[in-house]
Amino acid sequence: MPTPRNCCPQFRRYSRSRTHERPTFQGIYPPVVTPLHEDGSIDFDSLGNVVDHLIDGGMHGLFVLGSTGEVAYLTDEQRVQVITRIAERAAGRVPLLVGCMDMTAARVVEQGRRAVAAGADGIVVTAPFYALNNGPEIADHFRLVAAGVDVPVFAYDVPVRLGGVKLAPEMLVQLGTEGVIAGVKDSSGDDVGYRRLVAQNKAAGSPLKLFTGHEMVNDAVVLMGCDGMVPGFANVDPVSYRRLWDAATSGDWATAVSLQEQINSEFEIVFKPRGRGGDATGLGAFKTAMHLLGLISSPRQPQPLPAMPAEDVAAVREVLVGTGLLK
Amino acid sequence: MPTPRNCCPQFRRYSRSRTHERPTFQGIYPPVVTPLHEDGSIDFDSLGNVVDHLIDGGMHGLFVLGSTGEVAYLTDEQRVQVITRIAERAAGRVPLLVGCMDMTAARVVEQGRRAVAAGADGIVVTAPFYALNNGPEIADHFRLVAAGVDVPVFAYDVPVRLGGVKLAPEMLVQLGTEGVIAGVKDSSGDDVGYRRLVAQNKAAGSPLKLFTGHEMVNDAVVLMGCDGMVPGFANVDPVSYRRLWDAATSGDWATAVSLQEQINSEFEIVFKPRGRGGDATGLGAFKTAMHLLGLISSPRQPQPLPAMPAEDVAAVREVLVGTGLLK
Amino acid sequence: MPTPRNCCPQFRRYSRSRTHERPTFQGIYPPVVTPLHEDGSIDFDSLGNVVDHLIDGGMHGLFVLGSTGEVAYLTDEQRVQVITRIAERAAGRVPLLVGCMDMTAARVVEQGRRAVAAGADGIVVTAPFYALNNGPEIADHFRLVAAGVDVPVFAYDVPVRLGGVKLAPEMLVQLGTEGVIAGVKDSSGDDVGYRRLVAQNKAAGSPLKLFTGHEMVNDAVVLMGCDGMVPGFANVDPVSYRRLWDAATSGDWATAVSLQEQINSEFEIVFKPRGRGGDATGLGAFKTAMHLLGLISSPRQPQPLPAMPAEDVAAVREVLVGTGLLK
Amino acid sequence: MPTPRNCCPQFRRYSRSRTHERPTFQGIYPPVVTPLHEDGSIDFDSLGNVVDHLIDGGMHGLFVLGSTGEVAYLTDEQRVQVITRIAERAAGRVPLLVGCMDMTAARVVEQGRRAVAAGADGIVVTAPFYALNNGPEIADHFRLVAAGVDVPVFAYDVPVRLGGVKLAPEMLVQLGTEGVIAGVKDSSGDDVGYRRLVAQNKAAGSPLKLFTGHEMVNDAVVLMGCDGMVPGFANVDPVSYRRLWDAATSGDWATAVSLQEQINSEFEIVFKPRGRGGDATGLGAFKTAMHLLGLISSPRQPQPLPAMPAEDVAAVREVLVGTGLLK
């Protein structure tokens, strides 16, 4: 018989609410990949495996429907199914942050409400896209979203997908101080901006939880100051990230750097596919590696992303073998 | 008693199907603005006025839910309402192209089916956004969309909203030759690319209807070769665009240039608002002008776009008065 | 005995000054290519041929040391040699505009003075590069240059080589009104900006001569209004450009469009080389075509630009043959 | 009486050559500002003060004529004067790396030879600019430069000034392996690229000395691995950078982070000027601070960079006072 907490998201959330728990949002929240069957439909069994793989690997939480989860390619119905399935399988073991990527606030709020109903403990929201807005309008976008949903909101700073739009540290800390956002996922690759964000957040009394989207410089980001990380590559190797996190947060920098360098040599898989688009390259390499490692049934990505050529799969495999990830 | 053709989109489409009509998609298809009440809800009465204003002004068709229609800010439900209302009011007098802006093919197909059900005679589709794709993947994106909907598909080339993604002429003509797309709306601002598209389309037997999104160089675009235009500013002054179209397509270039220069002096309204985001500037100026001209009840834009300061409204008004549009 | 006007630039300029002539700067000013010997040294004989080819082909002036002249790859000494040689060969038959590309005003002034001494009738100057400046600083840059040289200054708007820096129409017309600049060479590819520049210049009493750097839409630019054009491809086919210019400026638009379309089919040579950098592609195609047409002794480009592979040369040749340029 | 080694650059270099010294290029090489008199001429006395300030502050070397040295605004003659003066004053106490910024290889070689004659121990060279080149052409650019000068060449990766051109780690390590370049100054702000460069350089036997151009994340860069740093802000506060370097390189990360955070609070001066161009903002703030600290006679920048408004000077001063740099 299923326990109450994993039978349905509604009950789980009621239970959490009753005990006044609120997730602390700290540590590693990998963006969960969305495995597909060969026919392109979502492979919920593999998805369940991935959830266990991640939680058993020591992850502190899960980031559902991130860019790595190929959220852009999923219909609204599929998004709800993915959240629901992950919430069921996670069964309250770790908190869930859920990406609610859509063009503008009115649409994000709809995504957010569905996400909360399906089990989100917090939602992750970008600046508007397709729309063209300036800084104050973007700040109001977050205010509108926060007013429309009932869980903490994280701002997701991801210029590479948003035509270069970057969230200013001043704005983020202001929104944190207002209680509009609870944290930031920084995938901007702008380490100066990040360092200023850390400093300004600290000066403001740390209203924000700061997460980095980096995979290759997590040791450095912990050194600079962060509350968590969202490394897509943790889908492949969660254990090393957890060891890195534990070493870095305990001040054992030699070990942290060493682990980071080991992870980076594994992460070279993403530089192996050639001549593909951004999503087919990086996320394709992740899925290919996970398939080779037996974690998911197929490396299939959503249409129109093509299958990876055998030669590139071989190159990915070579990295996995060379680094000892694949025996 | 309503005539059958304007009572409901279904009937209208049935009727069209029965008579084997298919729109020729030629001439001016202005992107219809979406008027709002002061409280932010859609002002369907004003929307109806705008439809009449445009059709009475000589427009050959309507482009519903374009960027100018603030499509990015509307929920899926609102999008359907807008199409439905415009289809009812247009009542088959002109064809409707409907923008189905969404991130990827699976989502666009859903938008497209709803649009067709609500009265679209053709749909307008951009490259994927938020997603990161290369050229062949983008071509497949259009193939997936076309396979999923039952009306002609226009490709919408709008790099400014898509992080700089530009649709290559070669790809567009290839998709035209395959029967995947029926036309292109070019808002790229790349006149060399456009000229090559015209030449390649002609060499391929003109499978594509070529529309320009320009407002200020329509005379030149007709000279270079086009099948139509989608000028947002035609919401303000449709009659001048129609006269320009008629002059240019009949070879009266002196008149065409003169009309274009007059339109351009009116179009200066979009350079008047200062310190606002892209949508609040250009579309804000359109709505402000339409409000001043009595065409819509309010210049209100969707949240988080702010109201235009009185000073900028005055500057817009001054242009309208100075050019004789507003008496 | 040499006539005074072609014996030396100094005399020529004295002569001009005495008769109070000042060039009108109107019509076609092709950017002269800089031919090289196979060993990379400047081929002054071929350069002389090119000058005759252009002047005999009906060009109204010459633009020396433009981007097409590979100015960036030439040392200061070579630049002077090129100007001197062209001035000697042109022998006052047409005016010379000379590009003085350098990073900032102090350096441009030095380039400009050398250019004037070597025979320039006017100089062409970009915004600063490598340096990072805003609009008012860029305006002052032009003011500094104009104060430091004794010939008319043309502003060269070429964002593709300047990290996207675009010269604003308002600034250009202001500088024209001040007498700082005499004209603009617009290679921005921004036709809306160009159209506004035409309108604002006209409203200000036409202080500026407006030249377009376009090759493929010259008919349209004449329609919109211009005083001249700087088509690099005129090095290959000056006669067609002259016929286009004459047709368009006399209002024979059908002929103008037809000539433009013929030119554009020839211009497809620049889309044939693959996998090369920008300069090796476009300028490489020009030089290859000129070599195939017997106008220059070698298609060689300055180091590090590589020789064009035989396959791409063949593709260029095929275009030339197919369009009838090469018998 | 002056010692032989500081009387003239020629002798100094002969002396160095004779003793077979070659600089190790390690540690902090601040990019020396170029102080100006109020009339815009170079203030060589202040320049001498700055050299002593930096060497006395513990700097391991000097980077002459970097972007911070406003190299783009100096004529060729001024560049030589600056190198000569710094070489005289440094008098062999520390090695000199000299920036040879120019458009293409032929021009850079000329800059490089002048720099070597004036006292450079190594030169710093960017990818071509104004020119448009691809990766292999850029690699050949460095090969041409290295073949033309007689001192070690550092590649300077500075996309923000080069229209976004980024030097690939693979190319840099390849050039290092070939002996073409001796090191890299990375000002790309791309920490993932930098981390890969560190890894690839190490795997290749460390042919390259890796310097970072960062000011705000030097602790993190040392953690990731580097041989040196080029912080412009060290002109203002060299001592703190030296303490940071010593702490970080000895593994005292708590101290390193604490010093970095102190430096960063000082570095906020560069975010105080408003509405100015890039050079007038950052370098203007440096010069203003140095002037307030009595290190240079004037905060003057080269034309057309404007004087900083009193309000912004006050804001800079406030930071200096607030952080204790200015008593």
Side-chain angles (χ1 to χ4, degrees):
Chain A
M1 196 189 92
T3 64
R5 63 192 310 201
N6 71 5
C7 76
C8 56
Q10 286 74 13
F11 188 85
R12 184 174 66 86
R13 292 198 49 77
Y14 173 69
S15 158
R16 171 161 297 154
S17 168
R18 196 181 45 164
T19 57
H20 306 291
E21 298 173 53
R22 167 134 287 192
T24 54
F25 299 122
Q26 192 130 356
I28 314 178
Y29 278 62
V32 187
V33 302
T34 305
L36 303 183
H37 291 295
E38 276 302 318
D39 68 2
S41 61
I42 297 173
D43 178 352
F44 292 105
D45 288 341
S46 287
L47 182 58
N49 291 344
V50 172
V51 169
D52 286 350
H53 168 64
L54 292 171
I55 298 178
D56 294 347
M59 303 295 91
H60 305 84
L62 298 177
F63 176 28
V64 180
L65 295 177
S67 307
T68 299
E70 301 176 319
V71 61
Y73 298 89
L74 303 179
T75 63
D76 287 345
E77 187 185 353
Q78 288 176 316
R79 291 184 183 196
V80 169
Q81 291 170 340
V82 167
I83 306 167
T84 303
R85 175 59 176 158
I86 292 178
E88 287 170 359
R89 188 64 162 248
R93 289 180 286 172
V94 296
L96 305 185
L97 285 173
V98 176
C100 295
M101 298 3 164
D102 216 320
M103 289 173 244
T104 56
R107 299 178 64 87
V108 172
V109 165
E110 294 197 343
Q111 300 279 1
R113 289 176 181 170
R114 286 193 292 265
V116 171
D121 296 298
I123 66 170
V124 181
V125 175
T126 70
F129 46 89
Y130 194 87
L132 299 175
N133 302 108
N134 69 5
E137 292 163 14
I138 293 172
D140 280 345
H141 162 85
F142 285 108
R143 291 186 183 102
L144 288 166
V145 170
V149 294
D150 203 26
V151 294
V153 174
F154 276 65
Y156 182 12
D157 194 12
V158 61
V160 72
R161 293 182 181 277
L162 266 66
V165 172
K166 171 84 185 79
L167 303 178
E170 291 78 4
M171 180 191 80
L172 292 168
V173 173
Q174 171 64 27
L175 292 175
T177 302
E178 291 178 17
V180 168
I181 59 173
V184 175
K185 183 199 165 189
D186 177 73
S187 295
S188 70
D190 173 1
D191 45 11
V192 166
Y194 184 77
R195 193 66 178 260
R196 294 187 77 218
L197 177 58
V198 169
Q200 293 178 21
N201 187 46
K202 195 173 168 186
S206 298
L208 298 173
K209 295 287 182 182
L210 301 182
F211 279 65
T212 176
H214 265 306
E215 264 112 353
M216 293 190 71
V217 297
N218 299 272
D219 49 355
V221 178
V222 177
L223 186 79
M224 294 193 283
C226 76
D227 299 291
M229 45 180 73
V230 187
F233 187 65
N235 280 282
V236 179
D237 185 7
V239 172
S240 293
Y241 275 105
R242 178 57 190 264
R243 291 174 59 210
L244 164 58
W245 174 260
D246 291 343
T249 54
S250 64
D252 179 0
W253 295 105
T255 300
V257 171
S258 171
L259 283 161
Q260 182 71 68
E261 291 181 351
Q262 172 208 313
I263 288 170
N264 291 354
S265 64
E266 300 167 356
F267 187 69
E268 283 290 311
I269 61 169
V270 306
F271 301 101
K272 295 306 174 191
R274 298 288 168 191
R276 298 158 67 88
D279 290 341
T281 300
L283 313 184
F286 290 171
K287 281 192 160 178
T288 296
M290 294 174 80
H291 180 236
L292 291 169
L293 291 168
L295 296 167
I296 59 178
S297 68
S298 161
R300 174 72 190 263
Q301 293 188 270
Q303 288 186 301
L305 305 180
M308 193 177 290
E311 189 181 323
D312 289 346
V313 173
V316 169
R317 176 195 290 272
E318 191 179 351
V319 172
L320 297 179
V321 170
T323 57
L325 261 184
L326 184 63
K327 318 295 178 190
Chain B
M1 194 188 94
T3 65
R5 64 193 307 203
N6 70 6
C7 76
C8 56
Q10 284 74 13
F11 187 85
R12 184 174 65 86
R13 292 195 52 75
Y14 173 75
S15 160
R16 169 161 299 154
S17 168
R18 199 182 41 164
T19 58
H20 305 289
E21 298 173 54
R22 168 135 288 191
T24 54
F25 298 122
Q26 191 130 357
I28 314 176
Y29 278 62
V32 187
V33 302
T34 305
L36 303 182
H37 290 296
E38 277 301 318
D39 68 1
S41 61
I42 297 173
D43 177 352
F44 291 105
D45 289 339
S46 287
L47 183 57
N49 290 343
V50 172
V51 169
D52 286 349
H53 168 65
L54 293 171
I55 297 178
D56 295 346
M59 304 294 91
H60 305 84
L62 298 177
F63 176 28
V64 182
L65 295 177
S67 307
T68 300
E70 300 175 321
V71 61
Y73 300 88
L74 303 179
T75 64
D76 288 345
E77 187 185 352
Q78 288 177 315
R79 291 185 183 195
V80 170
Q81 291 170 340
V82 167
I83 306 167
T84 302
R85 175 60 176 156
I86 293 179
E88 285 171 359
R89 187 66 163 247
R93 288 180 285 170
V94 297
L96 305 184
L97 286 173
V98 177
C100 295
M101 301 359 167
D102 216 321
M103 287 174 246
T104 57
R107 299 178 63 87
V108 172
V109 166
E110 294 196 343
Q111 301 279 1
R113 289 175 180 170
R114 285 192 293 265
V116 172
D121 296 298
I123 65 169
V124 181
V125 175
T126 70
F129 46 89
Y130 194 87
L132 300 175
N133 302 109
N134 68 7
E137 293 162 14
I138 293 172
D140 281 345
H141 162 84
F142 285 108
R143 292 187 183 102
L144 288 166
V145 170
V149 294
D150 202 27
V151 294
V153 175
F154 276 65
Y156 182 12
D157 194 13
V158 61
V160 71
R161 293 182 181 276
L162 265 66
V165 172
K166 172 84 184 80
L167 303 178
E170 292 79 3
M171 180 191 80
L172 292 168
V173 173
Q174 170 63 27
L175 292 176
T177 302
E178 292 178 20
V180 168
I181 60 174
V184 175
K185 184 199 165 189
D186 177 72
S187 295
S188 70
D190 173 1
D191 44 11
V192 166
Y194 183 78
R195 194 67 179 259
R196 295 187 76 216
L197 177 59
V198 169
Q200 293 178 21
N201 187 45
K202 195 172 167 185
S206 298
L208 298 173
K209 295 287 182 182
L210 301 182
F211 279 64
T212 177
H214 266 305
E215 264 112 353
M216 293 189 70
V217 297
N218 300 271
D219 49 356
V221 178
V222 177
L223 186 79
M224 295 193 284
C226 76
D227 299 290
M229 44 180 73
V230 187
F233 187 66
N235 281 282
V236 178
D237 184 6
V239 172
S240 293
Y241 274 105
R242 178 58 190 264
R243 293 174 58 210
L244 164 58
W245 174 259
D246 290 342
T249 54
S250 64
D252 179 0
W253 295 106
T255 301
V257 170
S258 172
L259 283 161
Q260 182 72 66
E261 291 181 352
Q262 172 207 315
I263 288 169
N264 292 354
S265 64
E266 300 167 356
F267 187 69
E268 284 289 311
I269 59 169
V270 308
F271 301 101
K272 294 307 172 188
R274 298 288 169 191
R276 297 159 67 88
D279 290 340
T281 300
L283 312 184
F286 291 171
K287 281 192 160 178
T288 296
M290 295 175 78
H291 180 236
L292 291 170
L293 291 167
L295 296 167
I296 59 179
S297 69
S298 161
R300 175 70 191 265
Q301 294 188 271
Q303 289 185 300
L305 305 180
M308 192 176 290
E311 189 182 324
D312 290 347
V313 173
V316 169
R317 176 195 290 271
E318 190 180 351
V319 171
L320 297 179
V321 170
T323 57
L325 261 185
L326 185 63
K327 318 295 179 189
Chain C
M1 197 188 91
T3 63
R5 64 195 306 204
N6 69 7
C7 76
C8 55
Q10 284 75 13
F11 189 84
R12 184 174 66 87
R13 291 197 52 73
Y14 173 75
S15 160
R16 171 162 296 153
S17 168
R18 198 183 39 164
T19 58
H20 305 291
E21 299 173 53
R22 168 133 290 188
T24 54
F25 299 122
Q26 192 129 358
I28 315 177
Y29 278 62
V32 188
V33 302
T34 305
L36 304 182
H37 291 296
E38 277 301 318
D39 68 1
S41 61
I42 297 173
D43 178 353
F44 291 104
D45 289 340
S46 286
L47 182 58
N49 291 343
V50 172
V51 168
D52 285 350
H53 169 64
L54 292 171
I55 297 178
D56 295 347
M59 304 294 90
H60 304 84
L62 298 177
F63 176 28
V64 181
L65 296 177
S67 307
T68 299
E70 300 175 322
V71 61
Y73 298 90
L74 303 178
T75 64
D76 288 345
E77 188 185 352
Q78 289 176 316
R79 292 184 183 195
V80 170
Q81 292 170 339
V82 167
I83 306 167
T84 302
R85 175 60 176 155
I86 292 179
E88 285 170 359
R89 187 65 162 247
R93 290 181 284 171
V94 296
L96 306 185
L97 286 173
V98 176
C100 294
M101 300 1 166
D102 216 321
M103 288 173 244
T104 56
R107 299 179 64 87
V108 172
V109 167
E110 294 197 343
Q111 301 280 0
R113 290 176 180 170
R114 285 191 294 265
V116 171
D121 295 299
I123 64 170
V124 182
V125 175
T126 69
F129 47 88
Y130 193 88
L132 300 175
N133 302 108
N134 69 6
E137 293 162 16
I138 293 172
D140 281 345
H141 161 85
F142 285 108
R143 291 187 184 104
L144 289 166
V145 170
V149 294
D150 202 27
V151 294
V153 174
F154 276 65
Y156 182 12
D157 195 13
V158 61
V160 71
R161 293 183 181 276
L162 265 66
V165 171
K166 171 85 184 79
L167 302 179
E170 291 78 4
M171 181 192 78
L172 292 169
V173 173
Q174 171 63 27
L175 293 176
T177 302
E178 293 178 18
V180 168
I181 60 173
V184 175
K185 183 199 165 191
D186 177 72
S187 295
S188 71
D190 173 1
D191 45 11
V192 166
Y194 184 77
R195 193 69 179 259
R196 296 186 76 218
L197 177 58
V198 170
Q200 293 178 20
N201 187 45
K202 194 173 168 185
S206 299
L208 299 173
K209 296 286 182 182
L210 301 182
F211 280 65
T212 176
H214 264 304
E215 265 113 352
M216 294 189 70
V217 297
N218 300 272
D219 50 354
V221 178
V222 177
L223 186 78
M224 295 193 283
C226 75
D227 300 290
M229 45 179 72
V230 187
F233 187 65
N235 281 282
V236 179
D237 184 7
V239 173
S240 293
Y241 274 105
R242 179 57 190 265
R243 293 173 57 208
L244 164 57
W245 174 260
D246 290 343
T249 55
S250 64
D252 180 359
W253 295 106
T255 301
V257 169
S258 172
L259 283 161
Q260 183 71 67
E261 291 181 352
Q262 171 209 314
I263 288 169
N264 292 354
S265 64
E266 300 167 357
F267 186 70
E268 284 290 310
I269 59 169
V270 307
F271 301 102
K272 294 306 173 189
R274 297 289 169 192
R276 298 159 67 87
D279 291 339
T281 300
L283 312 183
F286 290 171
K287 281 192 160 178
T288 295
M290 293 175 80
H291 181 237
L292 291 171
L293 292 167
L295 296 168
I296 58 178
S297 69
S298 161
R300 175 71 191 265
Q301 294 188 269
Q303 288 185 301
L305 304 179
M308 193 177 290
E311 189 182 323
D312 290 347
V313 174
V316 169
R317 176 194 291 272
E318 191 179 352
V319 171
L320 297 179
V321 170
T323 57
L325 261 185
L326 184 64
K327 318 294 177 190
Chain D
M1 198 188 90
T3 64
R5 64 193 310 201
N6 70 5
C7 75
C8 55
Q10 287 73 13
F11 189 85
R12 185 174 66 86
R13 290 199 51 76
Y14 172 70
S15 158
R16 171 162 296 152
S17 168
R18 197 181 44 163
T19 57
H20 305 291
E21 299 172 52
R22 168 133 288 189
T24 53
F25 298 122
Q26 192 130 356
I28 313 178
Y29 278 62
V32 187
V33 301
T34 305
L36 303 182
H37 291 295
E38 276 302 318
D39 68 0
S41 61
I42 298 174
D43 178 352
F44 292 104
D45 288 340
S46 286
L47 182 57
N49 290 344
V50 172
V51 169
D52 286 350
H53 169 65
L54 293 171
I55 298 178
D56 295 348
M59 304 295 89
H60 304 84
L62 298 177
F63 176 28
V64 180
L65 295 177
S67 307
T68 299
E70 300 175 321
V71 62
Y73 299 89
L74 302 180
T75 64
D76 287 346
E77 187 185 352
Q78 289 176 315
R79 291 185 184 196
V80 169
Q81 291 170 339
V82 166
I83 306 168
T84 302
R85 175 60 177 156
I86 293 179
E88 285 170 359
R89 187 66 163 248
R93 289 181 286 171
V94 296
L96 305 186
L97 286 173
V98 176
C100 294
M101 299 2 166
D102 216 321
M103 289 173 244
T104 55
R107 299 178 64 87
V108 172
V109 166
E110 294 196 344
Q111 300 279 2
R113 289 177 180 169
R114 286 192 293 266
V116 171
D121 296 297
I123 65 169
V124 181
V125 174
T126 70
F129 47 88
Y130 193 88
L132 300 175
N133 302 108
N134 69 6
E137 293 163 14
I138 293 171
D140 281 345
H141 162 85
F142 285 109
R143 291 186 183 103
L144 289 166
V145 171
V149 294
D150 201 27
V151 293
V153 174
F154 276 64
Y156 182 12
D157 194 13
V158 61
V160 71
R161 292 182 182 277
L162 266 65
V165 171
K166 172 84 184 80
L167 303 178
E170 291 78 4
M171 180 192 79
L172 292 168
V173 173
Q174 171 63 29
L175 292 175
T177 302
E178 292 178 18
V180 168
I181 59 173
V184 175
K185 183 198 166 192
D186 177 73
S187 295
S188 69
D190 173 2
D191 45 11
V192 166
Y194 184 78
R195 193 68 180 258
R196 294 187 76 217
L197 177 59
V198 169
Q200 293 178 21
N201 187 45
K202 194 173 169 185
S206 298
L208 298 172
K209 296 286 182 182
L210 302 182
F211 279 65
T212 176
H214 265 306
E215 263 112 354
M216 293 189 70
V217 297
N218 300 273
D219 49 354
V221 178
V222 177
L223 185 79
M224 294 193 283
C226 76
D227 298 290
M229 45 180 73
V230 187
F233 188 65
N235 281 282
V236 179
D237 185 6
V239 173
S240 293
Y241 274 105
R242 178 57 190 264
R243 293 173 59 207
L244 164 57
W245 174 260
D246 291 341
T249 54
S250 64
D252 179 0
W253 295 105
T255 300
V257 169
S258 171
L259 283 161
Q260 182 72 67
E261 291 181 351
Q262 172 209 314
I263 288 168
N264 292 353
S265 64
E266 300 167 356
F267 187 69
E268 284 289 311
I269 60 169
V270 307
F271 300 103
K272 294 307 173 189
R274 297 290 169 190
R276 297 158 67 87
D279 290 340
T281 300
L283 312 183
F286 291 172
K287 281 192 159 177
T288 296
M290 293 175 80
H291 180 237
L292 291 171
L293 292 167
L295 296 167
I296 59 178
S297 69
S298 161
R300 175 71 191 265
Q301 293 188 270
Q303 289 186 299
L305 305 180
M308 193 176 289
E311 189 181 323
D312 289 346
V313 174
V316 169
R317 177 195 290 271
E318 192 179 352
V319 171
L320 297 178
V321 170
T323 57
L325 261 185
L326 184 64
K327 318 295 178 190

